[in-house]
Amino acid sequence: HVQLVESGGGSVQAGESLWLTCEISLYIYSSYCMGWFRQTPGKERAAVAAHYTGTATTYVADSVKGRFTISRDNTNHTIILQMNGLKPEDTAMYYCAASKLNYCVLESSFFQWWGQGTQVTVS
């Protein structure tokens, strides 16, 4: 049973930075597409960024491009979302997701596993 363990998040002032990490707990496949989505009450979950661990290819949504970056650590089982220049509109619940497929698509239906979510609040 694949689990995603998220950490990071919290409350910051506008313009500050935060980072989120997500680790896959069970290494069934050699590579994954791992990504982050965010959701606010009453809205659909929206893609933020994704990273395919096999080739280190990254995908970043236009809404956060230039401010957010996604990367992996040396274990290849943890991704890091670095969020700079945070704005109040970035306030949301952020969810880590993973897919066993060997490419990434920034759509929630593409991902098989999801974390519990971590709150990011920017004021």
Side-chain angles (χ1 to χ4, degrees), residues 34-107:
M34 297 179 69
W36 288 95
F37 287 74
R38 64 186 182 185
Q39 188 172 26
T40 54
K43 293 190 177 181
E44 292 188 359
R45 200 166 288 188
V48 176
H51 178 96
Y52 177 58
T53 62
T55 59
T57 304
T58 61
Y59 309 80
V60 180
D62 289 341
S63 59
V64 300
K65 197 166 289 184
R67 299 189 297 122
F68 291 13
T69 58
I70 188 168
S71 61
R72 66 182 180 188
D73 74 349
N74 291 336
T75 68
N76 213 34
H77 300 295
T78 298
I79 58 167
I80 304 161
L81 182 68
Q82 175 71 41
M83 304 182 291
N84 298 323
L86 283 162
K87 304 175 181 180
E89 50 263 42
D90 295 317
T91 295
M93 183 71 77
Y94 283 69
Y95 296 91
C96 179
S99 169
K100 63 183 178 181
L101 300 180
N102 59 0
Y103 57 93
C104 288
V105 176
L106 290 183
E107 295 179 4

